[in-house]
Amino acid sequence: MKTVSICTLSFILLWITLCQSQFGCNLYQAFTEGKAYFAVGVCYSARSNGVTTSYMFSCATDSQLATLQEGNDQIVRVMNKKTWNNNEDCSGDPDTDVVESTEYIISTSSSMECDASNCDYIKYRTYTVSSCTDDGTTPSGLDTADYVDRVRVIDECLIEQEEGSVSKDIKISSCNVTGFYSDSYFYGGAIGSEDDDTCSMDIVSENVEFLDGSCESSTEYRVIEECSTSPSSSPDSGASGISATIGVIMFMVQLIAIV
């Protein structure tokens, strides 16, 4: 019996560790969208061919999580996505509010954080141009009718891009109305390894600047919209993180009872 108890305790500690998020602020990592990262509670907007859409990610409330767990008690975290049509600032009631992602007790990693503070971030708008070069001039043919909002989280090590089997990591250190900045740009470890998003490997370049009125890519022009400290907490954030740990403990208690 003593051996069984030790093994059971080890499993409890293991599952609690695995279910903890890897992020330091409320954040959602969408693996289905090229490992994009979305700050919880921040409004994203885009316009294409004159059609404007805005959306926001939010953590499940306690009541929503409790309802979902009635159907499946293995659920520990839930991320919602709210969408507004013909609206660029996420104001009013959303046109849709759906579950975007669900995490269960038996998970080896977490793609969301809901029990931390909301993220500091920089939001900027990108416009498509025929050619963009960082020469200090506005690209010719710039059309601001269509755009895409992008958000970078401050002081959080994230995968910037994947180059073959190796990740390229960056931690944005600060921002202001003229741009956002990184102390260093890192090569990470192999994709999926413990070093692929730690900002601890070889430095590629230092003092990297992403300035207002500069190129996001060879065909995208960047304009800073907002440098923000943590957005106000809402009832949609902070529920799933605590429930995740409680859920794991209850699950393991059931296992102990069975053993």
Side-chain angles (χ1 to χ4, degrees):
M1 290 298 294
K2 185 176 294 185
T3 302
V4 172
S5 298
I6 293 174
C7 289
T8 303
L9 178 60
S10 298
F11 273 115
I12 291 175
L13 294 175
L14 174 63
W15 284 117
I16 290 177
T17 300
L18 291 177
C19 281
Q20 297 305 304
S21 173
Q22 59 186 312
F23 307 122
C25 62
N26 291 334
L27 195 64
Y28 170 53
Q29 182 177 3
F31 293 96
T32 57
E33 300 185 38
K35 277 198 171 180
Y37 301 91
F38 297 92
V40 172
V42 175
C43 182
Y44 294 75
S45 178
R47 181 180 297 138
S48 177
N49 296 321
V51 178
T52 304
T53 304
S54 59
Y55 61 94
M56 179 186 295
F57 290 95
S58 60
C59 297
T61 61
D62 285 327
S63 58
Q64 179 192 5
L65 196 59
T67 300
L68 293 172
Q69 288 172 336
E70 289 178 0
N72 186 339
D73 61 5
Q74 305 303 300
I75 294 175
V76 291
R77 292 187 184 95
V78 172
M79 185 64 63
N80 298 316
K81 183 179 182 180
K82 301 176 182 180
T83 303
W84 289 258
N85 299 324
N86 301 314
N87 178 322
E88 68 172 303
D89 60 3
C90 302
S91 59
D93 295 329
D95 292 287
T96 61
D97 187 351
V98 299
V99 172
E100 175 76 7
S101 181
T102 303
E103 285 188 355
Y104 301 87
I105 286 178
I106 303 179
S107 298
T108 57
S109 64
S110 175
S111 64
M112 64 186 79
E113 173 60 69
C114 288
D115 199 37
S117 59
N118 285 338
C119 301
D120 290 344
Y121 65 92
I122 177 79
K123 181 160 72 170
Y124 57 98
R125 188 157 288 186
T126 59
Y127 303 96
T128 300
V129 295
S130 57
S131 178
C132 190
T133 56
D134 282 325
D135 58 4
T137 62
T138 302
S140 60
L142 175 63
D143 184 356
T144 58
D146 291 345
Y147 64 85
V148 175
D149 280 350
R150 301 181 190 274
V151 171
R152 300 286 195 99
V153 174
I154 306 297
D155 199 30
E156 191 79 15
C157 181
L158 302 173
I159 298 174
E160 170 77 1
Q161 64 188 75
E162 296 178 356
E163 297 184 349
S165 61
V166 178
S167 69
K168 203 172 184 180
D169 309 333
I170 192 168
K171 180 185 287 187
I172 304 300
S173 57
S174 63
C175 69
N176 55 44
V177 293
T178 63
F180 52 106
Y181 311 89
S182 173
D183 295 330
S184 300
Y185 214 159
F186 301 84
Y187 273 123
I191 301 300
S193 74
E194 62 182 12
D195 294 320
D196 73 352
D197 59 355
T198 60
C199 291
S200 62
M201 305 293 281
D202 296 335
I203 294 177
V204 181
S205 56
E206 298 180 271
N207 301 319
V208 185
E209 297 181 326
F210 304 83
L211 299 179
D212 180 45
S214 61
C215 301
E216 176 74 0
S217 69
S218 61
T219 58
E220 290 180 301
Y221 184 69
R222 178 195 302 121
V223 176
I224 303 297
E225 291 284 300
E226 179 184 10
C227 173
S228 177
T229 55
S230 299
S232 301
S233 298
S234 70
D236 293 325
S237 64
S240 297
I242 297 173
S243 299
T245 302
I246 294 174
V248 172
I249 293 174
M250 294 303 296
F251 175 68
M252 299 314 300
V253 168
Q254 293 175 17
L255 286 183
I256 294 173
I258 294 173
V259 173

